[in-house]
PDB file of all heavy atoms in Angstrom:
ATOM      1  N   VAL A  35       9.701   0.597  -6.927  1.00 98.00           N
ATOM      2  CA  VAL A  35       9.445   1.601  -8.037  1.00 98.00           C
ATOM      3  C   VAL A  35       8.426   2.691  -7.400  1.00 98.00           C
ATOM      4  O   VAL A  35       7.740   2.395  -6.481  1.00 98.00           O
ATOM      5  CB  VAL A  35       8.835   0.910  -9.309  1.00 98.00           C
ATOM      6  CG1 VAL A  35       9.719  -0.099  -9.966  1.00 98.00           C
ATOM      7  CG2 VAL A  35       7.435   0.226  -8.935  1.00 98.00           C
ATOM      8  N   VAL A  37       5.697   4.135  -8.037  1.00 98.00           N
ATOM      9  CA  VAL A  37       4.249   4.039  -7.973  1.00 98.00           C
ATOM     10  C   VAL A  37       3.736   2.742  -7.253  1.00 98.00           C
ATOM     11  O   VAL A  37       2.575   2.529  -7.211  1.00 98.00           O
ATOM     12  CB  VAL A  37       3.561   4.094  -9.320  1.00 98.00           C
ATOM     13  CG1 VAL A  37       3.658   5.509  -9.922  1.00 98.00           C
ATOM     14  CG2 VAL A  37       4.101   3.095 -10.335  1.00 98.00           C
ATOM     15  N   SER A  38       4.674   1.987  -6.717  1.00 98.00           N
ATOM     16  CA  SER A  38       4.227   0.697  -6.014  1.00 98.00           C
ATOM     17  C   SER A  38       3.592   1.035  -4.704  1.00 98.00           C
ATOM     18  O   SER A  38       4.219   1.624  -3.792  1.00 98.00           O
ATOM     19  CB  SER A  38       5.398  -0.170  -5.768  1.00 98.00           C
ATOM     20  OG  SER A  38       5.023  -1.238  -4.907  1.00 98.00           O
ATOM     21  N   SER A  39       2.309   0.758  -4.586  1.00 98.00           N
ATOM     22  CA  SER A  39       1.609   1.057  -3.293  1.00 98.00           C
ATOM     23  C   SER A  39       2.180   0.100  -2.216  1.00 98.00           C
ATOM     24  O   SER A  39       2.297   0.582  -1.017  1.00 98.00           O
ATOM     25  CB  SER A  39       0.122   0.868  -3.414  1.00 98.00           C
ATOM     26  OG  SER A  39      -0.202  -0.440  -3.783  1.00 98.00           O
ATOM     27  N   TYR A  40       2.517  -1.068  -2.541  1.00 98.00           N
ATOM     28  CA  TYR A  40       3.153  -1.972  -1.542  1.00 98.00           C
ATOM     29  C   TYR A  40       4.510  -1.483  -1.136  1.00 98.00           C
ATOM     30  O   TYR A  40       4.964  -1.660   0.001  1.00 98.00           O
ATOM     31  CB  TYR A  40       3.258  -3.370  -2.102  1.00 98.00           C
ATOM     32  CG  TYR A  40       1.908  -4.101  -2.251  1.00 98.00           C
ATOM     33  CD1 TYR A  40       1.361  -4.404  -3.470  1.00 98.00           C
ATOM     34  CD2 TYR A  40       1.129  -4.438  -1.040  1.00 98.00           C
ATOM     35  CE1 TYR A  40       0.161  -5.062  -3.598  1.00 98.00           C
ATOM     36  CE2 TYR A  40      -0.090  -5.035  -1.258  1.00 98.00           C
ATOM     37  CZ  TYR A  40      -0.609  -5.350  -2.473  1.00 98.00           C
ATOM     38  OH  TYR A  40      -1.815  -5.988  -2.570  1.00 98.00           O
ATOM     39  N   LYS A  43       3.898   1.129   1.397  1.00 98.00           N
ATOM     40  CA  LYS A  43       3.613   0.475   2.636  1.00 98.00           C
ATOM     41  C   LYS A  43       4.828   0.170   3.492  1.00 98.00           C
ATOM     42  O   LYS A  43       4.968   0.483   4.680  1.00 98.00           O
ATOM     43  CB  LYS A  43       2.835  -0.812   2.338  1.00 98.00           C
ATOM     44  CG  LYS A  43       2.628  -1.768   3.522  1.00 98.00           C
ATOM     45  CD  LYS A  43       1.783  -2.966   2.982  1.00 98.00           C
ATOM     46  CE  LYS A  43       1.891  -4.191   3.875  1.00 98.00           C
ATOM     47  NZ  LYS A  43       1.064  -5.326   3.352  1.00 98.00           N
ATOM     48  N   TYR A  64      10.848  -4.779 -12.741  1.00 95.00           N
ATOM     49  CA  TYR A  64      10.381  -5.966 -12.017  1.00 95.00           C
ATOM     50  C   TYR A  64       9.951  -7.014 -13.033  1.00 95.00           C
ATOM     51  O   TYR A  64       9.566  -6.760 -14.122  1.00 95.00           O
ATOM     52  CB  TYR A  64       9.399  -5.627 -11.007  1.00 95.00           C
ATOM     53  CG  TYR A  64       8.120  -4.904 -11.448  1.00 95.00           C
ATOM     54  CD1 TYR A  64       7.198  -5.508 -12.268  1.00 95.00           C
ATOM     55  CD2 TYR A  64       7.923  -3.556 -11.007  1.00 95.00           C
ATOM     56  CE1 TYR A  64       6.033  -4.790 -12.610  1.00 95.00           C
ATOM     57  CE2 TYR A  64       6.723  -2.887 -11.399  1.00 95.00           C
ATOM     58  CZ  TYR A  64       5.837  -3.567 -12.222  1.00 95.00           C
ATOM     59  OH  TYR A  64       4.723  -2.936 -12.564  1.00 95.00           O
ATOM     60  N   GLY A  65      10.138  -8.230 -12.547  1.00 91.00           N
ATOM     61  CA  GLY A  65       9.776  -9.385 -13.401  1.00 91.00           C
ATOM     62  C   GLY A  65      10.888  -9.756 -14.405  1.00 91.00           C
ATOM     63  O   GLY A  65      10.769 -10.782 -15.014  1.00 91.00           O
ATOM     64  N   ALA A  75      10.964 -14.015  -6.807  1.00 97.00           N
ATOM     65  CA  ALA A  75       9.589 -13.775  -7.124  1.00 97.00           C
ATOM     66  C   ALA A  75       9.363 -12.639  -8.156  1.00 97.00           C
ATOM     67  O   ALA A  75       8.309 -12.599  -8.761  1.00 97.00           O
ATOM     68  CB  ALA A  75       8.869 -13.300  -5.792  1.00 97.00           C
ATOM     69  N   GLY A  76      10.351 -11.869  -8.335  1.00 98.00           N
ATOM     70  CA  GLY A  76      10.359 -10.784  -9.337  1.00 98.00           C
ATOM     71  C   GLY A  76       9.444  -9.616  -9.017  1.00 98.00           C
ATOM     72  O   GLY A  76       9.189  -8.781  -9.882  1.00 98.00           O
ATOM     73  N   THR A  77       8.941  -9.515  -7.803  1.00 98.00           N
ATOM     74  CA  THR A  77       8.031  -8.479  -7.424  1.00 98.00           C
ATOM     75  C   THR A  77       8.721  -7.379  -6.660  1.00 98.00           C
ATOM     76  O   THR A  77       9.743  -7.591  -6.002  1.00 98.00           O
ATOM     77  CB  THR A  77       6.837  -9.028  -6.635  1.00 98.00           C
ATOM     78  OG1 THR A  77       7.336  -9.666  -5.467  1.00 98.00           O
ATOM     79  CG2 THR A  77       5.957  -9.960  -7.378  1.00 98.00           C
ATOM     80  N   VAL A  78       8.157  -6.205  -6.655  1.00 98.00           N
ATOM     81  CA  VAL A  78       8.566  -5.166  -5.685  1.00 98.00           C
ATOM     82  C   VAL A  78       7.377  -4.891  -4.834  1.00 98.00           C
ATOM     83  O   VAL A  78       6.221  -5.054  -5.262  1.00 98.00           O
ATOM     84  CB  VAL A  78       8.963  -3.832  -6.517  1.00 98.00           C
ATOM     85  CG1 VAL A  78      10.206  -4.007  -7.237  1.00 98.00           C
ATOM     86  CG2 VAL A  78       7.863  -3.297  -7.354  1.00 98.00           C
ATOM     87  N   PRO A  79       7.580  -4.565  -3.621  1.00 98.00           N
ATOM     88  CA  PRO A  79       8.916  -4.225  -2.946  1.00 98.00           C
ATOM     89  C   PRO A  79       9.570  -5.625  -2.616  1.00 98.00           C
ATOM     90  O   PRO A  79       8.960  -6.606  -2.444  1.00 98.00           O
ATOM     91  CB  PRO A  79       8.570  -3.477  -1.680  1.00 98.00           C
ATOM     92  CG  PRO A  79       7.256  -4.035  -1.242  1.00 98.00           C
ATOM     93  CD  PRO A  79       6.474  -4.257  -2.615  1.00 98.00           C
ATOM     94  N   ALA A  89      10.847 -11.041  -0.470  1.00 98.00           N
ATOM     95  CA  ALA A  89       9.856 -10.350  -1.242  1.00 98.00           C
ATOM     96  C   ALA A  89       8.552 -10.374  -0.333  1.00 98.00           C
ATOM     97  O   ALA A  89       8.380 -11.113   0.585  1.00 98.00           O
ATOM     98  CB  ALA A  89       9.577 -10.972  -2.596  1.00 98.00           C
ATOM     99  N   ASP A  90       7.582  -9.588  -0.863  1.00 98.00           N
ATOM    100  CA  ASP A  90       6.241  -9.451  -0.274  1.00 98.00           C
ATOM    101  C   ASP A  90       6.205  -8.478   0.889  1.00 98.00           C
ATOM    102  O   ASP A  90       6.837  -8.739   1.962  1.00 98.00           O
ATOM    103  CB  ASP A  90       5.616 -10.844   0.167  1.00 98.00           C
ATOM    104  CG  ASP A  90       4.156 -10.649   0.476  1.00 98.00           C
ATOM    105  OD1 ASP A  90       3.841 -10.331   1.567  1.00 98.00           O
ATOM    106  OD2 ASP A  90       3.321 -10.902  -0.422  1.00 98.00           O
ATOM    107  N   SER A  91       5.433  -7.460   0.714  1.00 98.00           N
ATOM    108  CA  SER A  91       5.364  -6.384   1.739  1.00 98.00           C
ATOM    109  C   SER A  91       4.986  -6.865   3.078  1.00 98.00           C
ATOM    110  O   SER A  91       5.475  -6.357   4.094  1.00 98.00           O
ATOM    111  CB  SER A  91       4.418  -5.256   1.275  1.00 98.00           C
ATOM    112  OG  SER A  91       3.106  -5.841   1.112  1.00 98.00           O
ATOM    113  N   GLU A  92       4.112  -7.837   3.202  1.00 98.00           N
ATOM    114  CA  GLU A  92       3.682  -8.282   4.429  1.00 98.00           C
ATOM    115  C   GLU A  92       4.769  -9.025   5.207  1.00 98.00           C
ATOM    116  O   GLU A  92       5.068  -8.923   6.374  1.00 98.00           O
ATOM    117  CB  GLU A  92       2.410  -9.227   4.302  1.00 98.00           C
ATOM    118  CG  GLU A  92       1.619  -9.325   5.536  1.00 98.00           C
ATOM    119  CD  GLU A  92       0.818  -8.046   5.941  1.00 98.00           C
ATOM    120  OE1 GLU A  92       0.929  -7.029   5.253  1.00 98.00           O
ATOM    121  OE2 GLU A  92       0.179  -8.136   7.033  1.00 98.00           O
ATOM    122  N   ASP A 126      -4.519  -6.209   1.434  1.00 98.00           N
ATOM    123  CA  ASP A 126      -3.659  -6.767   0.393  1.00 98.00           C
ATOM    124  C   ASP A 126      -4.448  -7.645  -0.564  1.00 98.00           C
ATOM    125  O   ASP A 126      -4.077  -7.689  -1.779  1.00 98.00           O
ATOM    126  CB  ASP A 126      -2.495  -7.490   0.986  1.00 98.00           C
ATOM    127  CG  ASP A 126      -1.457  -6.561   1.656  1.00 98.00           C
ATOM    128  OD1 ASP A 126      -1.630  -5.392   1.792  1.00 98.00           O
ATOM    129  OD2 ASP A 126      -0.374  -7.128   2.024  1.00 98.00           O
ATOM    130  N   GLU A 130      -6.776  -3.820  -2.427  1.00 98.00           N
ATOM    131  CA  GLU A 130      -5.740  -3.395  -3.394  1.00 98.00           C
ATOM    132  C   GLU A 130      -5.976  -4.036  -4.781  1.00 98.00           C
ATOM    133  O   GLU A 130      -5.879  -3.297  -5.766  1.00 98.00           O
ATOM    134  CB  GLU A 130      -4.315  -3.663  -2.863  1.00 98.00           C
ATOM    135  CG  GLU A 130      -3.271  -2.995  -3.649  1.00 98.00           C
ATOM    136  CD  GLU A 130      -2.820  -3.679  -5.004  1.00 98.00           C
ATOM    137  OE1 GLU A 130      -3.245  -4.900  -5.060  1.00 98.00           O
ATOM    138  OE2 GLU A 130      -2.213  -3.080  -5.769  1.00 98.00           O
ATOM    139  N   ARG A 134      -6.317  -1.790  -8.127  1.00 98.00           N
ATOM    140  CA  ARG A 134      -5.393  -2.071  -9.222  1.00 98.00           C
ATOM    141  C   ARG A 134      -6.033  -2.327 -10.589  1.00 98.00           C
ATOM    142  O   ARG A 134      -5.556  -2.027 -11.636  1.00 98.00           O
ATOM    143  CB  ARG A 134      -4.478  -3.315  -8.856  1.00 98.00           C
ATOM    144  CG  ARG A 134      -3.400  -3.598  -9.856  1.00 98.00           C
ATOM    145  CD  ARG A 134      -2.702  -4.878  -9.459  1.00 98.00           C
ATOM    146  NE  ARG A 134      -2.001  -4.828  -8.144  1.00 98.00           N
ATOM    147  CZ  ARG A 134      -0.748  -5.318  -8.006  1.00 98.00           C
ATOM    148  NH1 ARG A 134      -0.199  -6.007  -8.960  1.00 98.00           N
ATOM    149  NH2 ARG A 134      -0.213  -5.219  -6.851  1.00 98.00           N
TER     150      ARG A 134
HETATM  151  N1  GSH B  10       1.732  -9.235  -2.387  1.00 92.24           N
HETATM  152  C1  GSH B  10       2.833  -8.546  -2.884  1.00 92.24           C
HETATM  153  C2  GSH B  10       2.476  -7.847  -4.180  1.00 92.24           C
HETATM  154  C3  GSH B  10       3.499  -6.950  -4.814  1.00 92.24           C
HETATM  155  C4  GSH B  10       3.180  -6.634  -6.265  1.00 92.24           C
HETATM  156  O1  GSH B  10       2.174  -7.075  -6.848  1.00 92.24           O
HETATM  157  N2  GSH B  10       4.021  -5.750  -6.782  1.00 92.24           N
HETATM  158  C5  GSH B  10       3.872  -5.389  -8.187  1.00 92.24           C
HETATM  159  C6  GSH B  10       4.219  -3.926  -8.322  1.00 92.24           C
HETATM  160  S1  GSH B  10       3.237  -2.948  -7.380  1.00 92.24           S
HETATM  161  C7  GSH B  10       4.844  -6.224  -8.999  1.00 92.24           C
HETATM  162  O2  GSH B  10       5.958  -6.421  -8.545  1.00 92.24           O
HETATM  163  N3  GSH B  10       4.373  -6.821 -10.122  1.00 92.24           N
HETATM  164  C8  GSH B  10       5.259  -7.579 -10.951  1.00 92.24           C
HETATM  165  C9  GSH B  10       4.732  -8.991 -11.103  1.00 92.24           C
HETATM  166  O3  GSH B  10       3.663  -9.331 -10.675  1.00 92.24           O
HETATM  167  O4  GSH B  10       5.451  -9.691 -11.804  1.00 92.24           O
HETATM  168  C10 GSH B  10       3.405  -7.576  -1.856  1.00 92.24           C
HETATM  169  O5  GSH B  10       2.709  -7.284  -0.902  1.00 92.24           O
HETATM  170  O6  GSH B  10       4.541  -7.156  -1.969  1.00 92.24           O
END
Side-chain angles (χ1 to χ4, degrees):
V35 296
V37 290
S38 170
S39 59
Y40 290 113
K43 169 179 161 181
Y64 55 69
T77 57
V78 292
D90 191 275
S91 61
E92 199 71 2
D126 288 6
E130 193 280 344
R134 183 187 293 222

